[in-house]
C-alpha cells in the first residue's frame, strides 16, 4: 500500500504502462434499466497519464457510465476492455482489485461508522495469521489522519463518525480514500460539488499529481473551468450518447461550455441573468 | 471548514479560484492544525460505546433487587441460577445482535430451537447416529435453513422481518408435525439421557464446568460449602461458558477484524458498502447462518440438560433475543450496536425473570418490566446515538 508522495512531480510509477497507453476502452456501451435507456451507445478511452473529463447535463448518463466502469452495473451490451483485455466485473470489488478506484456521487460512506473504518472499508490491512488475523487499526488511524491532512482537512478525531463531518469534509474523505487505493484508474464523480475554495484547488492538484504518476483519471464535473484546468481530453455526453470527444487544443472553453449545456442556448439565459452564468 | 464551504464554488466560479492559481498547498487547516480541534474527552469516548445503556440498565436492575430480593439471590449459587437462563437466551441474543448490526432480523430463531431439537432427536434416537455426528448434523441443517433465510432475503429484497416471520411459523409447525410423526403422536421426545450420559461429548453440552475448582475453593472455605463439604454452587453451568466464549469472540470479531468492519458496513448502508468492495450478500448470509446455528446450539444444550425435546421449546425467544440486543444498544435500523451490550441485555433479562422469584412480587410482573425496559432502552439509545454520531 504505497502512499502518494507529497512532492509535486512524483516519479512515474514503474508498475504502470507508459503514458498514452489505453487503460480502459469502451465501445458502444449501452445500459438499460427496464424501459429507461440510460446509455445509448457510449465510447471512450482512458489513457495512462491523462485526465479525461466527462461532461454533460443532469441526467446525461455520466454517473451510470462510470458505475459500469466501476463494476456497479453490468453493461447491457457493448465492449469493455481493461488494458486491452475484455473485462467483466462481477461487482465493485473486482474493479477495485483491477486497480480502478471511484469516488461515487453519493460518496459511498457509512454515516454511523468512524472516519478510519470508512476509509479502509473493503480494503482493510490485516496482520497476524488466521484465525487470529485482525485489522491493524493503529496503522489505519495514522494513515487516515495523514491522508486527510494532506488533502487539507484536519479530522478532529479519526474515530468520530462520518455522520458528524460536514458535507465537504465527507467528500474529502472519499477522495483521499480513492486516491490512496487507486492503482491504475481514478474515477471522480463530481468530487468538488461541496468543496470550499482551498479544498477544491487541492483536489485539482491531486488530479494532476495522480496523473503525473501515470494513472488514468476520469473527472466528472459541471464546472468548465475545473475541467479545462486539469483535463487533457473532454468527452461530452448528452441523453445517453457521446456528443463528441475533444483534445484540449481542439476546443476553447466557451465552446465546451455550450456543448456541456447540451446545445441549449446559454447566451440567452446568461443575458437574462445579467451575464452572471 | 464550515466557514469556507458555505459558498458552493464548483458551479459558479470566480476566475481567481481557478485551479491554475492554486499555489498554496492547502487550506487553513494545514500546519498549525485545526484550531477548533478539541480532543474528545473520556466521557465522549465512553458515550460513544453502544453498550453504555445496557451497563446502566444492569446497575439499575441490580440496585432494585439489592433492596427487594432476599439475600440468597446474591450468593454464588443464586448467581449461577440467574446466569443459566441468561446464557441460554444470550447465546442467541449475541448472534441476533450481530445480525441486527448487519441490518437484518431473524424472527425464526425461537422456532429453530424446537426444530433443531427435533432434528437432533431424529438423528440420535430414530436413526441412531453417533452423538458427534448427530450434533454436527443438527448444526449443519440449522445453518442451511439460516442460509436459505439469508438468500431469500437477498434475492427477493423483501424485509427480513417478513421472510423470517414466515419461517417462525413454518419451523414451529414442522416441529409439531415432525415430533408427532417421530414419536407416534406426542409433541415431546424423551430418552436422550440414555444416549447422552457417559458420552465423552456430554461435558461440552451439559452439566457444570469448573466443578473441581469449585470443590477445591469450598474445601478451603473460599466459597460457601454445604454441611457435607461440597460447594453450594456445583460449578458454572456449561451454557454460561458457551455464552461468555461466544460473546468474547463476537466482540473481537466486531471490533478488531475485517469481517467486523464488513458487518457494520453492510448494516449501515448496504449499497455504499457494496460499492466500496464489501461482499455484503456473503456477510448477510453468513450472519443468518450464524443465528440459526446459535439457536441449534441452544437446542443441543437444552436437550442435553433436560433429556428431552419439546415442540414448544424456544417459544418467543426470537423476540427476547431482539430485546436483549436492543437493550444492548443495537439500532433497529442496523449498522450500530455491540455484542457486549447484548451480553448485558441478556443478563438483565435473566436477573429480572429469575430475580422476581426472590422478591415478594408476583413473578408475572416480568413481562411488564420487560416491556418498560425495552421502551426505555430504545428511547435512550436513539437519543444517545443522535448525539454521538451526528445523525441529522
Ligand atoms: N437505477 C436506475 N434505474 C432507472 N433509471 C436510472 C437508474 N440510474 C440512472 N437512471 C436514469 O438514467 C439517466 C442518467 O442518470 P445519471 O445518474 O447517469 O445522470 P448524470 O449524468 O450522472 O446526472 P447528474 O449530473 O445529475 O449527476 C437518468 O435519466 C436516470 O433517471
Ligand atoms: Mg451523476
Amino acid at each position: 500500500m504505497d502512499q502518494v508522495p507529497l512532492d509535486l512531480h512524483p516519479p512515474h510509477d514503474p508498475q504502470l504502462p507508459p503514458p498514452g497507453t489505453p487503460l480502459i476502452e469502451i465501445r458502444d456501451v449501452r445500459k438499460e434499466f427496464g424501459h429507461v435507456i440510460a446509455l445509448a451507445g457510449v465510447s471512450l478511452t482512458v489513457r495512462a497519464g491523462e485526465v479525461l473529463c466527462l461532461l454533460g447535463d443532469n441526467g446525461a448518463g455520466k454517473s451510470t457510465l462510470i458505475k459500469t466502469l466501476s463494476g456497479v452495473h453490468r453493461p447491457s451490451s457493448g465492449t469493455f476492455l481493461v488494458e486491452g483485455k475484455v473485462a467483466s466485473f462481477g461487482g465493485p470489488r473486482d474493479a477495485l482489485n483491477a486497480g480502478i478506484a471511484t469516488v461515487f456521487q453519493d460518496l459511498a460512506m457509512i454515516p454511523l461508522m468512524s472516519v478510519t473504518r470508512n476509509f479502509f472499508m473493503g480494503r482493510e490491512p490485516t496482520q497476524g495469521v488466521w484465525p487470529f488475523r485482525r485489522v491493524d487499526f493503529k496503522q489505519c488511524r495514522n494513515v487516515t489522519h495523514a491522508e486527510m491532512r494532506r488533502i487539507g482537512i484536519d479530522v478532529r478525531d479519526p474515530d468520530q463518525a462520518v455522520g458528524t463531518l460536514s458535507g465537504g469534509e465527507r467528500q474529502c474523505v472519499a477522495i483521499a480514500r480513492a486516491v490512496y487505493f487507486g492503482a491504475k484508474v481514478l474515477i471522480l464523480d463530481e468530487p468538488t460539488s461541496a468543496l470550499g475554495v482551498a479544498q477544491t484547488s487541492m483536489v485539482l492538484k491531486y488530479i494532476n499529481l495522480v496523473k503525473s504518476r501515470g494513472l488514468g483519471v476520469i473527472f466528472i464535473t459541471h464546472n468548465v473551468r475545473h475541467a479545462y484546468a486539469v483535463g487533457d481530453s473532454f468527452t461530452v455526453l448528452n441523453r445517453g450518447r457521446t456528443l463528441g470527444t475533444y483534445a484540449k487544443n481542439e476546443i476553447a472553453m466557451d465552446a465546451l461550455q455550450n456543448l456541456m449545456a447540451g446545445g441549449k442556448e446559454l447566451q440567452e439565459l446568461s443575458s437574462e441573468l445579467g451575464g452572471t452564468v | 471548514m464550515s466557514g469556507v464551504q458555505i459558498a458552493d464554488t464548483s458551479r459558479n466560479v470566480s476566475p481567481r479560484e481557478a485551479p491554475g492559481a492554486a499555489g498554496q498547498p492547502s487550506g487553513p487547516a494545514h500546519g498549525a492544525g485545526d484550531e477548533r480541534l478539541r480532543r474528545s474527552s473520556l466521557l465522549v469516548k465512553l458515550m460513544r460505546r453502544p453498550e453504555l445503556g445496557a451497563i446502566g440498565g444492569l446497575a439499575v436492575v441490580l440496585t432494585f433487587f439489592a433492596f427487594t430480593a432476599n439475600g440468597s439471590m446474591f450468593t454464588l449459587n443464586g448467581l449461577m441460577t440467574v446466569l443459566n437462563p441468561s446464557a441460554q437466551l444470550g447465546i442467541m441474543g449475541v448472534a441476533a445482535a450481530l445480525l441486527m448490526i448487519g441490518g437484518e432480523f431473524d424472527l425464526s430463531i425461537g422456532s429453530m430451537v424446537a426444530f433443531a431439537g427435533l432434528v437432533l432427536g431424529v438423528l440420535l434416537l430414530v436413526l441412531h447416529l453417533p452423538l458427534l455426528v448427530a450434533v454436527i448434523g443438527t448444526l449443519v441443517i440449522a445453518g442451511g435453513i439460516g442460509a436459505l433465510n439469508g438468500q431469500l432475503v437477498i434475492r427477493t429484497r423483501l424485509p427480513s422481518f417478513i421472510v423470517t416471520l414466515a419461517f417462525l411459523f413454518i419451523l414451529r409447525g414442522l416441529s409439531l408435525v415432525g415430533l408427532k410423526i417421530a414419536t407416534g403422536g406426542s409433541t415431546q421426545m424423551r430418552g436422550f439421557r440414555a444416549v447422552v450420559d457417559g458420552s465423552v461429548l456430554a461435558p461440552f453440552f451439559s452439566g457444570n464446568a469448573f466443578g473441581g475448582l469449585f470443590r477445591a475453593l469450598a474445601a478451603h472455605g473460599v466459597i460457601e460449602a454445604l454441611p457435607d463439604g461440597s460447594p453450594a454452587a456445583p460449578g458454572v453451568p456449561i451454557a454460561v461458558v458457551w455464552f461468555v466464549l461466544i460473546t468474547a469472540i463476537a466482540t473481537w470479531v466486531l471490533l478488531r477484524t475485517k469481517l467486523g468492519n464488513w458487518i457494520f458496513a453492510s448494516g449501515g448502508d448496504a449499497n455504499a458498502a457494496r460499492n466500496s468492495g464489501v461482499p455484503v450478500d456473503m456477510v448477510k448470509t453468513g450472519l443468518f447462518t450464524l443465528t440459526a446455528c446459535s439457536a441449534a446450539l441452544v437446542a443441543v444444550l437444552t436437550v442435553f440438560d433436560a433429556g428431552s425435546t419439546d415442540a414448544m421449546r424456544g417459544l418467543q425467544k426470537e423476540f427476547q433475543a431482539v430485546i436483549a440486543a436492543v437493550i444492548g444498544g443495537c439500532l433497529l435500523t442496523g449498522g450500530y450496536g455491540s455484542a457486549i451490550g447484548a451480553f448485558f441485555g441478556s443478563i438483565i433479562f435473566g436477573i429480572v425473570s429469575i430475580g422476581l422469584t426472590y422478591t415478594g412480587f408476583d413473578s408475572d410482573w416480568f413481562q411488564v418490566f420487560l416491556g418498560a425496559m425495552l421502551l426505555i432502552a430504545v428511547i435512550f439509545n436513539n437519543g444517545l446515538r443522535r448525539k454521538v454520531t451526528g445523525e441529522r
Side-chain angles (χ1 to χ4, degrees):
Chain A
M1 238 160 278
D2 54 335
Q3 290 198 1
V4 181
L6 248 183
D7 63 311
L8 285 174
H9 302 286
H12 181 266
D13 191 329
Q15 306 263 313
L16 287 162
T21 319
L23 291 173
I24 295 181
E25 271 184 281
I26 58 168
R27 274 180 239 125
D28 276 328
V29 161
R30 293 176 60 86
K31 178 68 197 175
E32 286 132 26
F33 299 103
H35 294 298
V36 181
I37 301 170
L39 298 177
V42 176
S43 307
L44 59 78
T45 308
V46 187
R47 294 170 200 282
E50 285 186 16
V51 178
L52 171 70
C53 290
L54 199 52
L55 310 168
D57 239 359
N58 293 128
K62 306 179 296 294
S63 297
T64 308
L65 175 60
I66 61 102
K67 279 183 182 165
T68 45
L69 300 182
S70 55
V72 176
H73 299 318
R74 265 172 197 281
S76 306
S77 68
T79 323
F80 181 8
L81 306 175
V82 174
E83 290 191 275
K85 288 191 222 44
V86 174
S88 147
F89 294 145
R93 202 174 175 80
D94 292 347
L96 277 163
N97 289 338
I100 302 170
T102 309
V103 177
F104 293 97
Q105 196 164 11
D106 64 8
L107 303 183
M109 292 267 146
I110 316 272
L112 284 166
M113 274 163 63
S114 74
V115 177
T116 307
R117 279 178 179 265
N118 265 289
F119 196 98
F120 284 92
M121 174 170 47
R123 315 254 92 193
E124 299 84 355
T126 53
Q127 57 182 16
V129 289
W130 199 90
F132 303 107
R133 198 175 296 148
R134 60 207 177 273
V135 177
D136 189 353
F137 274 111
K138 193 160 174 260
Q139 147 111 5
C140 288
R141 219 165 276 138
N142 292 339
V143 169
T144 306
H145 204 261
E147 293 299 315
M148 290 309 291
R149 270 197 94 106
R150 187 170 294 173
I151 206 167
I153 306 272
D154 196 337
V155 194
R156 271 157 260 187
D157 171 3
D159 289 334
Q160 84 186 87
V162 158
T164 63
L165 297 178
S166 80
E169 286 170 329
R170 228 177 283 190
Q171 213 160 34
C172 286
V173 179
I175 296 166
R177 175 174 73 176
V179 169
Y180 186 75
F181 289 109
K184 276 193 195 118
V185 178
L186 181 66
I187 301 175
L188 304 149
D189 192 351
E190 298 194 40
T192 53
S193 60
L195 294 193
V197 178
Q199 281 73 23
T200 300
S201 29
M202 199 62 204
V203 167
L204 296 174
K205 211 159 67 182
Y206 258 51
I207 293 176
N208 267 328
L209 199 91
V210 166
K211 162 184 150 176
S212 57
R213 280 173 68 217
L215 278 82
V217 180
I218 301 179
F219 177 37
I220 299 179
T221 178
H222 287 287
N223 186 314
V224 72
R225 284 174 212 281
H226 294 175
Y228 215 70
V230 293
D232 294 300
S233 59
F234 310 92
T235 294
V236 184
L237 287 191
N238 186 26
R239 303 173 73 80
R241 286 178 203 284
T242 325
L243 221 55
T245 296
Y246 310 88
K248 193 171 193 167
N249 54 17
E250 286 172 2
I251 192 163
M253 210 194 283
D254 289 351
L256 196 59
Q257 174 127 22
N258 278 332
L259 269 178
M260 278 168 70
K264 282 175 213 122
E265 266 314 318
L266 264 193
Q267 234 55 48
E268 278 173 33
L269 256 180
S270 186
S271 57
E272 253 173 61
L273 295 172
T276 49
V277 179
Chain B
M1 254 101 284
S2 55
V4 185
Q5 116 236 332
I6 300 167
D8 180 0
T9 50
S10 63
R11 279 163 213 241
N12 48 352
V13 151
S14 73
R16 273 172 297 330
E17 67 103 6
Q24 285 319 107
S26 70
H30 201 69
D34 193 330
E35 70 286 354
R36 295 165 309 166
L37 186 129
R38 209 177 59 197
R39 294 281 156 220
S40 45
S41 65
L42 185 69
L43 187 70
V44 172
K45 283 220 164 91
L46 241 158
M47 294 247 299
R48 211 178 272 166
R49 299 297 321 147
E51 51 276 86
L52 179 76
I55 295 173
L58 185 63
V60 170
V61 168
L62 281 177
T63 315
F64 173 79
F65 283 105
F67 284 106
T68 56
N70 72 42
S72 62
M73 179 176 167
F74 291 98
T75 61
L76 192 60
N77 196 23
L79 193 69
M80 294 306 160
T81 319
V82 168
L83 281 181
N84 199 32
S86 302
Q88 287 184 1
L89 173 67
I91 290 170
M92 289 188 281
V94 169
L98 293 193
L99 183 65
M100 266 177 95
I101 297 171
E104 306 290 347
F105 283 101
D106 190 345
L107 294 184
S108 70
I109 51 178
S111 304
M112 180 57 90
V113 174
F115 183 75
L118 164 71
V119 172
L120 184 66
V122 169
L123 295 181
L124 214 51
L125 304 182
V126 179
L127 301 176
H128 303 291
L129 292 175
L131 193 55
L132 183 66
V133 178
V135 168
I136 291 175
T138 305
L139 287 171
V140 167
I141 290 173
I145 294 173
L148 176 67
N149 263 330
Q151 284 297 311
L152 278 174
V153 167
I154 288 161
R155 300 208 175 178
T156 61
R157 300 190 192 184
L158 288 168
S160 50
F161 183 85
I162 293 298
V163 172
T164 58
L165 184 64
F167 273 89
L168 179 153
F169 289 104
I170 293 172
L171 292 177
R172 182 69 67 193
L174 284 178
S175 308
L176 279 162
V177 175
L179 275 173
K180 279 189 208 158
I181 294 172
T183 60
S186 166
T187 58
Q188 267 201 357
M189 195 186 249
R190 298 166 190 285
F192 288 89
R193 273 275 135 70
V195 193
V196 169
D197 284 352
S199 152
V200 282
L201 266 186
F204 290 100
F205 300 107
S206 60
N208 294 291
F210 307 117
L213 179 67
F214 274 52
R215 271 192 297 281
L217 289 176
H220 288 86
V222 182
I223 60 174
E224 193 194 345
L226 297 176
D228 68 353
S230 66
V236 181
I238 196 72
V240 176
V241 177
W242 279 101
F243 178 38
V244 171
L245 207 69
I246 288 171
T247 307
I249 296 172
T251 300
W252 182 75
V253 167
L254 269 183
L255 297 182
R256 290 277 165 271
T257 70
K258 191 145 105 169
L259 180 60
N261 212 33
W262 291 357
I263 293 174
F264 280 115
S266 302
D269 182 337
N271 201 36
R274 212 171 271 130
N275 286 355
S276 306
V278 175
V280 174
D281 296 350
M282 202 181 82
V283 170
K284 289 196 174 186
T285 310
L287 288 173
F288 274 107
T289 310
L290 179 81
T291 48
C293 283
S294 76
L297 174 62
V298 170
V300 172
L301 289 168
T302 47
V303 165
F304 277 34
D305 200 32
S308 68
T309 187
D310 188 311
M312 284 300 128
R313 278 275 159 76
L315 199 65
Q316 291 194 352
K317 284 284 185 253
E318 59 283 328
F319 294 114
Q320 298 180 359
V322 168
I323 293 172
V326 169
I327 291 176
C330 287
L331 284 184
L332 292 147
T333 42
Y336 191 74
S338 97
I340 296 193
F343 177 85
F344 287 120
S346 308
I347 290 183
I348 291 175
F349 226 100
I351 290 177
V352 176
S353 65
I354 302 292
L356 284 171
T357 61
Y358 286 89
T359 67
F361 296 101
D362 186 333
S363 53
D364 283 334
W365 280 103
F366 169 61
Q367 309 230 11
V368 177
F369 207 103
L370 201 67
M373 198 80 206
L374 174 65
L375 202 57
I376 294 168
V378 171
I379 292 169
F380 176 82
N381 286 344
N382 252 17
L384 186 78
R385 184 258 329 245
R386 213 166 288 153
K387 218 175 221 139
V388 174
T389 61
E391 182 130 318
R392 296 158 213 217

